[in-house]
Amino acid sequence: EVQLVESGGNLVQPGRSLRLSCAVSGFTFDDFAMHWVRQAPGKGLEWVSGISWNSGIMNYADSVRGRFTISRDNAKNSLSLQMNSLRADDTAFYYCAKDNAGEPLLPIFVFWGQGTLVTVSS
Amino acid sequence: QSVLTQPPSVSGAPGQRVTISCTGSSSNIGAGSDVHWYQQLPGTVPKLLIYGNNNRPSGVPDRFSGSKSGTSASLAITGLQAEDEADYYCQSYDSSLSGSGVVFGGGTKLTVL
């Protein structure tokens, strides 16, 4: 059974940092690209970042480029998102999502985790 | 404002057929980019419903179907059921955007009357 379990969400002040993690099981992690997708409470979906199976390709939405860094540890079946210089408009549920391919270029989000809530507020 | 435009809401009675449109442009759907659809039931996470314009993952009922023409795509639901009440999102790729070009529609809330 595929499982994606996010953690690390919290209430944080503007300008501070937070690191999200996603523990993966149930499939061969290092065969697939992975992504982070976020959803502000009551709002729509926004793709945040994606990483290829071997970390050779990492891409970001314009809204987070330069502030967020995606990474993965294939030995630990783990995906991470380091978020720096957080802003109020980063407040959202952050979902870890599995792609159907090894490269994150034309993603299909075939499976989603339960999400972790990040609240940026003073 | 989303690159892909969806109606904010649609509704239908049980047993009816409803369609949800996803309107793009020549830099995304019109350029041949595939469209995928996700269903988000109330209080749950999104689930892949249709991929590659008109393909259903295993377990998705054949009441759900997708199509694409020109710069638009559509999700059709036949034999509407109360359990179909959810938010629906389209997703595609836009070559004019910086970064990866991954785009979602704004979402459509389906109400079963």
Side-chain angles (χ1 to χ4, degrees):
Chain A
E1 178 191 5
V2 173
Q3 286 197 331
L4 307 177
V5 180
E6 301 92 338
S7 61
N10 211 334
L11 170 64
V12 62
Q13 293 179 327
R16 303 297 292 267
S17 298
L18 203 61
R19 186 177 183 88
L20 305 183
S21 297
C22 175
V24 169
S25 62
F27 66 96
T28 305
F29 183 61
D30 54 11
D31 276 350
F32 296 95
M34 297 292 295
H35 300 263
W36 290 97
V37 179
R38 68 185 181 185
Q39 184 173 34
K43 302 297 184 183
L45 301 172
E46 179 188 16
W47 175 83
V48 173
S49 182
I51 186 168
S52 63
W53 65 278
N54 63 352
S55 303
I57 300 172
M58 291 170 280
N59 44 30
Y60 301 91
D62 286 347
S63 58
V64 307
R65 186 177 296 108
R67 301 187 298 123
F68 290 11
T69 302
I70 192 171
S71 62
R72 66 189 293 162
D73 184 337
N74 287 347
K76 295 182 178 179
N77 282 9
S78 175
L79 175 72
S80 295
L81 185 69
Q82 177 66 41
M83 304 186 295
N84 299 331
S85 303
L86 282 162
R87 310 187 303 221
D89 61 0
D90 294 318
T91 294
F93 288 94
Y94 283 74
Y95 299 106
C96 165
K98 174 185 177 291
D99 202 330
N100 75 322
E103 308 290 347
L105 304 177
L106 296 173
I108 303 174
F109 305 112
V110 296
F111 197 84
W112 302 59
Q114 290 302 305
T116 188
L117 178 61
V118 173
T119 304
V120 183
S121 175
S122 54
Chain B
Q1 194 149 347
S2 302
V3 171
L4 303 178
T5 301
Q6 298 181 234
S9 63
V10 298
S11 62
Q16 285 189 333
R17 178 181 187 270
V18 297
T19 61
I20 297 173
S21 60
C22 175
T23 303
S25 67
S26 59
S27 62
N28 43 68
I29 299 175
S33 297
D34 283 344
V35 178
H36 320 298
W37 292 90
Y38 302 87
Q39 177 193 56
Q40 187 173 28
L41 297 169
T44 71
V45 303
K47 166 192 162 186
L48 179 64
L49 193 66
I50 297 288
Y51 67 95
N53 307 313
N54 55 13
N55 300 288
R56 286 184 307 276
S58 173
V60 173
D62 60 7
R63 301 186 297 104
F64 296 90
S65 63
S67 63
K68 188 179 89 166
S69 179
T71 59
S72 294
S74 289
L75 173 70
I77 309 172
T78 59
L80 201 60
Q81 299 180 4
E83 67 217 43
D84 298 332
E85 190 160 287
D87 293 323
Y88 293 84
Y89 296 90
C90 60
Q91 177 234 323
S92 188
Y93 169 82
D94 192 298
S95 60
S96 71
L97 300 178
S98 57
S100 82
V102 180
V103 290
F104 285 98
T108 298
K109 181 176 182 58
L110 168 63
T111 300
V112 180
L113 302 171

